Amino acid sequence: MKMKPLSLLFSHFLVIVLTTSYVPVDAFTRSDFPEDFLFGAATSAYQWEGAVNEDGRTPSIWDTFVHSDRPGITGNGDIASDGYHKYKEDVKLMAEMGLESFRISISWSRLIPNGRGFVNPKGILFYKNLIKELKRHGIEPQVTLYHYDHPQSLEDEYGGWVDRKIIEDFTAYADVCFREFGEDVKLWTTINEATIFATGSYGQGLGPPGRCTPNILVNCPTGNSSTEPYLVGHNVLLAHASVYKLYKLKYKSKQRGSIGFSIYALGLTPATNSKDDEIATQRAQTFLYAWLLKPLVFGDYPDEVKRTVGSRLPVFSEEELEQVKGSSDFLGLIHYTTFAVTNRYSPSTIFPMDVEGFTKDMGVYVSPIGNSTFFASEPAPWGLEDTLEYLKDSYNNPPIYILENGARLESHSILQDTKRIDYMKGYIGAVLNAIKNGSDMRSYLIWSMVDLYELLGGYSSSFGLYYVNFSDPGRKRFPRLSVSWYTGFLNGTIDVAPQDTIQLKRNFSSYSSL
Ligand SMILES: *[C@@H]1O[C@H](CO)[C@@H](O)[C@H](O)[C@H]1NC(C)=O
Ligand SMILES: *[C@@H]1O[C@H](CO)[C@@H](O)[C@H](O)[C@H]1NC(C)=O
Ligand SMILES: *[C@@H]1O[C@H](CO)[C@@H](O)[C@H](O)[C@H]1NC(C)=O
Ligand SMILES: *[C@@H]1O[C@H](CO)[C@@H](O)[C@H](O)[C@H]1NC(C)=O
Ligand SMILES: *[C@@H]1O[C@H](CO)[C@@H](O)[C@H](O)[C@H]1NC(C)=O
Ligand SMILES: *[C@@H]1O[C@H](CO)[C@@H](O)[C@H](O)[C@H]1NC(C)=O
């Protein structure tokens, strides 16, 4: 059995079991948030839709990845939560819950089966129907264009994101999406959690397409962990900027939407209060955030990354720099948990196999906080607050959409998910605290609306507010307790009380000073 713990760094495959409950410091209700702030839930195409061979869809790299014989893969998204057939039912459940927004992604290979050229009318129809259904129920769609799933045909043809050819194909795909859906969709995210996509899928081989230097622990068939994460990060930025430009020139004046970039936003805190660990934490921020955000906001990579990575880091031309700089209307965050940073490099249990790439370049040790383990991570809403504070101060207070935040249950069958409710209270409270301190927060989406097929853990990773019976061909949904909590919070009848404020603050600071 090859290592599984590696999973840690990935978002929805983060293995979180809650061990302590956390309630935010101040009492609050929905009405303490700005009126146009959007509360909702999230999914992605491959994890929710199923129907992988229906109506003209062709395989994406995610289909190929999970149908390979790699160790550690459990199940596949062939049927998933059957969202393709059950979308009306799900939208009805969302409306009953009072969700204000719902995040989907579009399956590129459902819309454009060969990656470029022919546009599949049935693909268009599905997304139009889904988006109309959301709008009809007053739910604002948030759409991600790319979520680990470009058409396999493009991977076969030129290696997908490792080749610049993808920029043109991705832009043409985005063009179709804006043209067909842009009348109803105002919030677009280009790439899902770009930082971890580049490092996890191309450095550690953990996500599709599963590339890394062959013969390290995960035994990728092909790849180069020391170069490809940077190459992919570079091409992702260029593709994002190209799509931003297209929208601005061709659609923005009539559709009036926004285009954002998204990153995996791991909370980072010094392991001790030593100067060394503080410096190490800044270095981790430079690699996990500034690497892609600095070019996006200010132009060009951080000097520290340039110095460390040297010739393995691609170089922007003057023209590209100009195009990348300022090419995002907002920042999308995928945030689940916080890790402690120590000023020493060792191939930690979190990145055991990335011996020559990104993690080594970063050169620090990151590990779960407190009593957290790989399978039991403690909620740390203060870690989200710190992250939001860092982003506000370092990147000119960008508008921020939390595109994913959530907690995995110890067991799929749990319906009384009180620990998840505590988790949500804590993290929603953290967002409110950030708003009060000046962060430009726009949205909070819980991952996930219903149980999904997860990148790691498959069907045993339960992030859904709704339980889905995956043994049942009908994929019946059952509400967990969190559904009624979220419903009550959103309709204003449930507030988060100021109980035990003093003890809570004390607990909060005991976490903060770990
Ligand atoms: C990865 O690329 C670097 C730089 O081109 C090269 O030196 C190294 O040998 C490559 N590693 C593998 C395993 O191909
Ligand atoms: C961590 O676990 C130990 C042993 O179970 C316990 O004594 C301690 O209180 C725990 N710490 C926190 C912060 O929960
Ligand atoms: C609130 O924002 C100010 C200004 O950015 C900053 O100095 C301060 O540390 C922040 N407070 C907290 C609790 O994050
Ligand atoms: C799940 O579905 C299976 C197969 O239809 C059924 O036997 C089982 O009772 C269902 N479980 C629940 C909790 O409804
Ligand atoms: C608000 O939501 C709760 C569920 O938590 C529900 O019982 C109640 O009927 C709802 N109230 C209104 C006014 O919609
Ligand atoms: C604070 O932490 C202690 C020890 O972990 C725990 O027993 C207590 O329930 C916590 N208090 C609150 C209000 O969460």
Side-chain angles (χ1 to χ4, degrees), residues 82-208:
D82 202 21
Y84 190 74
H85 299 111
K86 296 176 80 78
Y87 74 90
K88 282 192 177 166
E89 183 188 324
D90 281 352
V91 173
K92 187 161 172 282
L93 297 177
M94 291 173 218
E96 285 166 8
M97 230 194 295
L99 293 195
E100 299 153 7
S101 185
F102 184 57
R103 176 183 181 224
I104 58 169
S105 73
I106 290 175
S107 162
W108 185 344
S109 66
R110 192 182 291 291
L111 196 65
I112 307 180
N114 300 319
R116 77 172 75 84
F118 171 72
V119 181
N120 177 14
K122 288 185 170 159
I124 295 180
L125 188 64
F126 171 66
Y127 292 109
K128 277 207 164 144
N129 286 342
L130 168 58
I131 290 163
K132 292 279 181 214
E133 192 71 9
L134 289 167
K135 296 286 286 185
R136 214 176 357 257
H137 287 84
I139 299 168
E140 187 69 30
Q142 297 197 44
V143 177
T144 299
L145 293 173
Y146 185 82
H147 201 115
Y148 290 94
D149 60 348
H150 59 270
Q152 181 62 36
S153 57
L154 301 184
E155 186 72 11
D156 294 342
E157 187 183 324
Y158 54 74
W161 288 103
V162 300
D163 195 299
R164 295 172 70 101
K165 290 195 182 106
I166 194 134
I167 299 167
E168 192 183 334
D169 287 333
F170 184 65
T171 308
Y173 156 63
D175 198 1
V176 173
C177 294
F178 297 149
R179 187 184 74 213
E180 298 296 334
F181 316 123
E183 202 180 297
D184 289 319
V185 176
K186 303 301 162 198
L187 295 169
W188 296 95
T189 300
T190 51
I191 315 281
N192 179 59
E193 55 188 18
T195 41
I196 209 68
F197 171 60
T199 57
S201 289
Y202 295 83
Q204 304 178 58
L206 292 176

Side-chain angles (χ1 to χ4, degrees), residues 27 47 89 145 169 175 220 234 337 376 440 442 513:
Q47 298 174 271
E89 183 188 324
L145 293 173
D169 287 333
D175 198 1
C220 301
H234 195 75
T337 193
D440 188 0
R442 305 292 182 91
S513 63

Side-chain angles (χ1 to χ4, degrees), residues 457-477:
Y459 293 112
S460 64
S461 278
S462 312
F463 282 87
L465 300 179
Y466 275 85
Y467 164 89
V468 175
N469 184 352
F470 290 110
S471 320
D472 170 12
R475 296 295 191 273
K476 198 162 174 345
R477 280 90 161 111

Side-chain angles (χ1 to χ4, degrees), residues 153-376:
S153 57
L154 301 184
E155 186 72 11
D156 294 342
E157 187 183 324
Y158 54 74
W161 288 103
V162 300
D163 195 299
R164 295 172 70 101
K165 290 195 182 106
I166 194 134
I167 299 167
E168 192 183 334
D169 287 333
F170 184 65
T171 308
Y173 156 63
D175 198 1
V176 173
C177 294
F178 297 149
R179 187 184 74 213
E180 298 296 334
F181 316 123
E183 202 180 297
D184 289 319
V185 176
K186 303 301 162 198
L187 295 169
W188 296 95
T189 300
T190 51
I191 315 281
N192 179 59
E193 55 188 18
T195 41
I196 209 68
F197 171 60
T199 57
S201 289
Y202 295 83
Q204 304 178 58
L206 292 176
R211 295 171 68 110
C212 63
T213 298
N215 296 319
I216 54 180
L217 284 173
V218 282
N219 207 7
C220 301
T222 181
N224 185 330
S225 301
S226 65
T227 55
E228 288 189 359
Y230 299 105
L231 184 58
V232 168
H234 195 75
N235 289 338
V236 158
L237 280 175
L238 292 172
H240 163 85
S242 164
V243 166
Y244 185 84
K245 184 178 170 193
L246 167 83
Y247 190 80
K248 195 171 165 190
L249 293 178
K250 198 167 163 186
Y251 297 99
K252 180 118 184 160
S253 66
K254 48 180 194 293
Q255 295 185 353
R256 308 199 164 278
S258 304
I259 310 285
F261 187 72
S262 85
I263 59 165
Y264 183 83
L266 182 68
L268 298 165
T269 193
T272 68
N273 51 22
S274 72
K275 191 76 196 159
D276 274 2
D277 288 349
E278 198 182 301
I279 291 168
T281 303
Q282 285 164 9
R283 191 168 162 92
Q285 281 168 340
T286 299
F287 276 80
L288 292 170
Y289 288 87
W291 164 40
L292 297 185
L293 292 189
K294 182 167 175 284
L296 196 68
V297 178
F298 301 110
D300 215 356
Y301 293 116
D303 289 339
E304 196 173 5
V305 173
K306 284 186 183 174
R307 263 198 313 275
T308 308
V309 182
S311 62
R312 290 175 293 129
L313 187 69
V315 175
F316 291 110
S317 72
E318 279 304 313
E319 197 189 333
E320 287 167 349
L321 269 185
E322 276 312 303
Q323 195 171 319
V324 169
K325 182 179 169 182
S327 67
S328 198
D329 297 320
F330 65 86
L331 192 53
L333 300 189
I334 319 299
H335 178 90
Y336 288 85
T337 193
T338 288
F339 279 15
V341 186
T342 307
N343 187 30
R344 75 185 142 84
Y345 170 69
S346 77
S348 69
T349 37
I350 299 149
F351 312 94
M353 75 302 293
D354 189 4
V355 289
E356 60 168 21
F358 185 83
T359 321
K360 188 166 184 196
D361 295 333
M362 183 163 72
V364 301
Y365 180 78
V366 298
S367 60
I369 52 159
N371 277 354
S372 304
T373 66
F374 292 119
F375 301 102

Side-chain angles (χ1 to χ4, degrees), residues 402-422:
I402 302 218
L403 300 179
E404 292 179 26
N405 174 245
R408 179 189 192 265
L409 300 177
E410 300 93 325
S411 145
H412 181 225
S413 60
I414 291 176
L415 291 179
Q416 303 294 309
D417 54 347
T418 51
K419 286 177 177 173
R420 173 178 289 146
I421 295 171
D422 287 341

Side-chain angles (χ1 to χ4, degrees), residues 442-460:
R442 305 292 182 91
S443 180
Y444 172 90
L445 306 181
I446 188 85
W447 183 274
S448 52
M449 164 61 198
V450 297
D451 286 335
L452 302 171
Y453 175 65
E454 294 290 342
L455 192 42
L456 282 169
Y459 293 112
S460 64

